[in-house]
Amino acid sequence: MLNNYRIYRRKQELGSRVTRLHNTEQLAIGILDTGNLEQLTNCLDWYTREMNYSLHVVTQEGRFDLGLMQEAYKDVTFLVFTSHTFTGEKVNAVANECRTNLFLIVRSDLLLVTFDGPTLLDAMTQSDHPAAFSAVVANAYREIIPCRRMPRMCGRHLDPDSGFPSLDRAVSLPTLYPFMCLGLYDRALFQRLRGFDEAIHSEYWQALDWGIRCHLLGYTVSINSALMVQFPDRESVIEDRSEAEGYLRCYTKALSVQKINAKNVARKYKGFFDKEVYQTEVKKRMLWLQKLDFAELCARWPKEDA
């Protein structure tokens, strides 16, 4: 990725909240600055008080007086982009800078309702753990929204189906990608999968692209109510699925490799095709690494949960 951001590392080095912790190598929290300044300060007040993990705020230059924020929150590292950027690039920055085994992505305009650390962190140490746990999402009325995603084609279009997660913490269900990129990620696996595609200019298409690649390359994404967030000011929480610059890259990576007689074959997907990513990512990488194709993924998806 292009590192078009500046890093302002936490100023508190000795005797701070973070240096006294046992969890600093296991988990970092990336907070995307997506609301107003009051929401961000309320958010940071809560996280510095309640969560004993290293904190990274991802923001844009000019949003607030950085010097004052550094003085007020000496335990926080700020990743400051010089211009507007999309969610995937912000998450990539957290993965690059956090230096921990796992990282949790949240936003300043939401509340972390549930984070069952023992359950989630233990699950992420198992040999068959998912690449990420997607967050369960509630709206302002505390209603759980259909934030679970399932693979689906409608005609020639990628059109993931939506469903509700289980509220039983003992039940983890498969999901196609982390809704709104919110979730707990295995940093090593995330980077092995090359993170979010920054040439795609859409949060939805970035998340869809990463999730599909994750499954096709043999990994999984799960959703569990042990991680739950709420948008306290939003009645409706929806994705913008409109076509955006770079969305053809998602189609090309998702559908250009097909299994024929148990062998991967690269074929151009007519109508939704990006030549550059086909020649590089598809033919030089995915053709050799892909474990199944998108049709197989749809066929294998648990029917009782769909």
Side-chain angles (χ1 to χ4, degrees):
M1 67 176 285
L2 296 175
N3 289 348
N4 59 333
Y5 59 88
R6 298 187 178 94
I7 307 169
Y8 298 85
R9 302 196 184 279
R10 60 189 180 89
K11 300 180 71 172
Q12 189 87 290
E13 294 298 338
L14 298 175
S16 72
R17 175 186 64 88
V18 173
T19 55
R20 295 196 301 268
L21 303 175
H22 299 293
N23 299 316
T24 54
E25 293 183 359
Q26 187 175 21
L27 174 67
I29 299 176
I31 303 170
L32 310 185
D33 177 19
T34 49
N36 55 42
L37 181 57
E38 181 181 5
Q39 288 173 316
L40 179 60
T41 55
N42 289 340
C43 177
L44 286 175
D45 288 341
W46 188 88
Y47 278 96
T48 54
R49 183 177 68 250
E50 302 292 339
M51 300 294 283
N52 292 331
Y53 303 102
S54 60
L55 302 176
H56 295 70
V57 169
V58 189
T59 187
Q60 184 178 329
E61 199 170 79
R63 290 271 292 168
F64 47 74
D65 187 320
L66 183 61
L68 291 178
M69 290 293 281
Q70 283 188 290
E71 285 301 315
Y73 303 101
K74 295 182 178 180
D75 286 329
V76 177
T77 292
F78 292 87
L79 308 179
V80 183
F81 279 85
T82 56
S83 60
H84 170 74
T85 190
F86 297 92
T87 301
E89 189 173 357
K90 297 174 184 177
V91 178
N92 288 348
V94 174
N96 280 352
E97 307 302 335
C98 68
R99 303 293 190 266
T100 52
N101 298 329
L102 308 170
F103 63 92
L104 173 66
I105 295 297
V106 293
R107 297 166 43 130
S108 61
D109 60 345
L110 59 73
L111 303 175
L112 184 61
V113 177
T114 304
F115 181 71
D116 185 345
T119 296
L120 292 171
L121 301 184
D122 179 66
M124 290 297 264
T125 65
Q126 305 303 310
S127 59
D128 59 347
H129 70 272
F133 273 106
S134 180
V136 172
V137 179
N139 65 10
Y141 300 125
R142 300 183 180 181
E143 299 167 331
I144 302 300
I145 69 167
C147 51
R148 184 179 171 228
R149 296 293 181 262
M150 288 80 83
R152 183 178 66 173
M153 292 288 292
C154 286
R156 300 187 64 81
H157 293 266
L158 288 168
D159 184 34
D161 199 3
S162 302
F164 288 95
S166 170
L167 296 183
D168 183 349
R169 295 188 196 180
V171 177
S172 291
L173 296 176
T175 190
L176 187 59
Y177 59 87
F179 180 76
M180 299 180 74
C181 303
L182 300 169
L184 176 68
Y185 295 82
D186 179 314
R187 179 171 175 261
L189 271 179
F190 179 82
Q191 296 194 311
R192 191 180 306 165
L193 291 162
R194 298 188 173 188
F196 291 109
D197 188 337
E198 297 176 10
I200 298 174
H201 293 180
S202 160
E203 176 182 272
Y204 162 72
W205 289 102
Q206 286 177 328
L208 177 62
D209 170 73
W210 184 82
I212 292 176
R213 276 188 288 124
C214 181
H215 287 281
L216 297 186
L217 295 180
Y219 303 101
T220 60
V221 181
S222 296
I223 188 167
N224 189 294
S225 61
L227 173 58
M228 185 184 298
V229 300
Q230 180 198 11
F231 285 89
D233 302 317
R234 293 174 62 172
E235 177 182 349
S236 178
V237 185
I238 60 174
E239 298 169 311
D240 178 4
R241 294 192 175 191
S242 58
E243 297 174 356
E245 182 177 341
Y247 83 100
L248 294 179
R249 296 172 63 87
C250 177
Y251 270 95
T252 304
K253 284 181 277 183
L255 302 171
S256 292
V257 176
Q258 300 175 22
K259 271 198 177 296
I260 300 177
N261 297 325
K263 181 179 179 180
N264 285 348
V265 176
R267 288 186 171 179
K268 297 179 181 179
Y269 189 70
K270 295 180 181 179
F272 300 95
F273 179 73
D274 183 290
K275 181 178 179 180
E276 185 274 334
V277 80
Y278 180 78
Q279 294 295 339
T280 56
E281 187 74 5
V282 171
K283 295 182 72 174
K284 294 184 179 180
R285 184 168 183 268
M286 297 190 70
L287 183 62
W288 310 108
L289 297 178
Q290 208 165 294
K291 308 300 183 186
L292 69 164
D293 61 21
F294 191 78
E296 285 182 292
L297 177 62
C298 293
R300 293 185 184 185
W301 201 264
K303 295 298 185 291
E304 64 273 15
D305 297 327

